[in-house]
């Protein structure tokens, strides 16, 4: 499994390997385990931060394939340098040399084939204060990691209200569905409801009103969803006009509306059955993508595809993720659509304007 993060809003010190290692959890959104993290470099002197990628450490015999996949991703996006960091993967030997040396040598060789120069190749058993780290090429290189919580990356990410999770499993756990019996009950209600639940009303206008009411509740911290609300919101998001209007809530990413919307989409992703949950998962993925959280976006898109393999927007966003489209570019595209005329999604006046 590979996580790719285009150039984000969080910059790190590219000259100090210890500071770079300490920043990795905040660049990814979680503390990696048994992973290789590659930080792409661009520009004069290879000092401009680019793509950040995390992949599971390949098993023996697959080192070359894993190395080439990472190198190709850097090459096609115009990187000329890279820093390689291995997290976990074993323990240092008696001489203090880090594990996974064969894989790192292979990765450096494949990077060189694509004219990508490795700046650092470093290792740490985990990212935590006081943990001893080392280098692959310089025997005398290494030391103790600073407290990751004191890094510039931590300050930026925490100041933006984003959470750094203890592991990828913890991040995945945010999407765990509610009790199976709840989902089964709601699936039955949706199956038996052949027509929209708003009799005598325009479905799009009624759907927008339903979403706006839920967003206002979410803005006030109320994310509880009743069966009736779940059914109505599932119907609302099934209407393309309403779903497309909801997409626009993602930008600007630091707005009150965007925060409330992302909370609501995650709640609905857990509270709705398949295939209806796919709409909420795609909205959550898009919102996370726009604010630069590609790990969350990738998880949400994978689950959306499981729930509805034919979901068009999920396929488009997955393609954008694989092509490593910059979050700022995706956000700009969203903002340019605001003049297109979808119905307006927002917080009710009593809850503020966002």
């Amino acid at each position: 499994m590979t996580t790719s993060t285009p150039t984000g809003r969080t910059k790190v010190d590219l000259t100090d390997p210890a500071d770079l290692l300490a920043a990795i959890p905040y660049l990814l959104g979680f503390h990696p385990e048994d992973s290789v993290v590659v930080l792409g470099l661009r520009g004069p002197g290879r000092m401009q931060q680019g793509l950040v990628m995390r992949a599971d450490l390949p098993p023996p015999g697959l080192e070359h394939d894993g190395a080439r996949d990472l190198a190709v991703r850097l090459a096609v996006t115009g990187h000329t340098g890279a820093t390689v960091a291995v997290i976990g993967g074993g323990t240092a030997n008696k001489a203090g040399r880090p594990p996974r040396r064969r894989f790192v040598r292979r990765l450096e060789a494949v990077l060189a084939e694509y004219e990508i120069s490795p700046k650092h190749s470093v290792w740490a058993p985990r990212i935590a204060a006081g943990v001893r780290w080392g280098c692959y090429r310089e025997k005398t290189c290494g030391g103790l990691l600073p407290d990751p919580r004191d890094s510039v990356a931590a300050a930026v990410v925490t100041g933006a209200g984003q959470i750094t999770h203890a592991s990828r499993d913890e991040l995945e756990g945010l999407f765990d569905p509610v009790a199976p019996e709840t989902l089964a009950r709601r699936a039955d209600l949706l199956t038996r409801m052949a027509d929209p639940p708003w009799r005598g009303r325009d479905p799009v206008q009624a759907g927008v009103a339903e979403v706006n009411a839920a967003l206002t509740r979410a803005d006030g911290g109320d994310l509880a969803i009743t069966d009736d609300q779940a059914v109505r919101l599932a119907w609302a998001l099934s209407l393309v006009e309403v779903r497309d209007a909801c997409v626009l809530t993602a930008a600007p990413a630091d707005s009150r509306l965007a925060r409330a919307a992302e909370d609501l989409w995650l709640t609905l992703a857990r509270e709705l059955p398949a295939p209806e949950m796919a709409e909420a998962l795609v909205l959550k993925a898009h919102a996370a993508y726009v604010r630069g959280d590609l790990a969350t976006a990738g998880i949400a898109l994978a689950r959306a595809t499981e729930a509805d393999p034919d979901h068009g927007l999920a396929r488009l966003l997955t393609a954008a993720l694989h092509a490593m489209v910059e979050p700022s570019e995706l956000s700009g595209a969203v903002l340019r659509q605001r003049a297109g005329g979808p119905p307006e999604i927002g917080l009710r006046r009593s809850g503020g304007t966002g």
Side-chain angles (χ1 to χ4, degrees):
M1 181 178 294
T2 302
T3 300
S4 299
T5 303
T7 305
R9 301 173 179 85
T10 306
K11 303 299 181 182
V12 299
D13 185 350
L14 300 177
T15 60
D16 189 323
D19 288 341
L20 188 148
L21 281 165
I24 283 174
Y26 300 94
L27 294 173
L28 296 176
F30 61 92
H31 284 255
E33 299 173 347
D34 292 328
S35 301
V36 54
V37 178
V38 180
L39 178 64
L41 305 173
R42 298 189 180 107
R46 303 182 182 92
M47 291 299 293
Q48 179 183 342
Q49 180 183 325
L51 184 71
V52 179
M53 294 186 293
R54 186 218 67 90
D56 298 337
L57 285 168
L62 295 179
E63 292 95 345
H64 181 77
D65 291 341
R68 189 162 297 280
D69 179 63
L70 291 167
V72 167
R73 288 172 179 256
L74 288 181
V76 298
T77 47
H79 292 77
T80 56
T83 289
V84 175
V86 171
I87 313 301
T91 58
N93 63 17
K94 292 181 180 180
R97 301 191 67 188
R100 298 295 181 130
R101 295 189 298 279
R102 176 179 174 180
F103 169 63
V104 172
R105 286 196 300 269
R106 171 59 60 185
L107 178 54
E108 289 182 337
V110 176
L111 288 170
E113 290 178 20
Y114 288 95
E115 298 183 351
I116 299 171
S117 175
K119 184 177 180 65
H120 302 292
S121 293
V122 295
W123 169 80
R126 64 186 187 282
I127 307 298
V131 169
R132 184 165 293 281
W133 65 276
C135 294
Y136 284 92
R137 283 179 284 161
E138 300 87 7
K139 294 181 180 180
T140 59
C141 170
L144 301 180
L145 287 179
D147 192 333
R149 296 169 297 182
D150 294 336
S151 68
V152 173
V156 172
V157 169
T158 304
Q162 299 181 29
I163 297 173
T164 299
H165 299 275
S167 66
R168 187 179 177 88
D169 286 344
E170 182 180 281
L171 180 57
E172 292 246 17
L174 296 178
F175 292 87
D176 288 348
V178 295
E181 56 269 24
T182 299
L183 296 180
R185 185 174 64 248
R186 292 171 179 175
D188 182 62
L189 290 171
L190 286 161
T191 299
R192 291 190 283 109
M193 186 176 289
D195 298 313
W198 310 285
R199 293 181 180 178
R201 298 175 61 190
D202 176 85
V204 172
Q205 291 182 1
V208 166
E210 199 73 49
V211 172
N212 287 346
L215 283 170
T216 301
R217 292 194 299 270
D219 182 54
D222 179 8
L223 290 167
I225 301 291
T226 66
D227 285 355
D228 181 63
Q229 289 169 343
V231 168
R232 289 173 177 271
L233 287 165
W235 263 100
L237 295 184
S238 73
L239 302 171
V240 173
E241 298 90 343
V242 178
R243 196 276 311 278
D244 287 352
C246 290
V247 167
L248 301 183
T249 63
D254 58 352
S255 69
R256 199 169 135 195
L257 172 60
R259 292 192 295 270
E262 195 168 350
D263 287 344
L264 177 61
W265 311 146
L266 178 59
T267 298
L268 292 176
R270 301 178 62 247
E271 297 272 357
L272 295 179
E276 287 81 8
M277 68 169 64
E279 301 295 350
L281 283 163
V282 167
L283 289 170
K284 173 65 177 178
H286 176 262
Y289 198 138
V290 167
R291 63 177 173 81
D293 183 355
L294 276 297
T296 297
I299 291 170
L301 286 172
R303 295 202 177 206
T305 301
E306 290 176 6
D308 183 359
D310 297 322
H311 198 288
L313 184 54
R315 289 200 301 267
L316 287 172
L317 287 174
T318 300
L321 190 64
H322 288 166
M324 290 162 281
V325 175
E326 296 282 354
S328 58
E329 292 180 16
L330 195 68
S331 178
V334 168
L335 288 172
R336 287 192 294 272
Q337 292 181 35
R338 284 194 180 275
E344 184 176 354
I345 296 290
L347 303 176
R348 286 177 170 174
R349 291 185 182 276
S350 60
T353 61

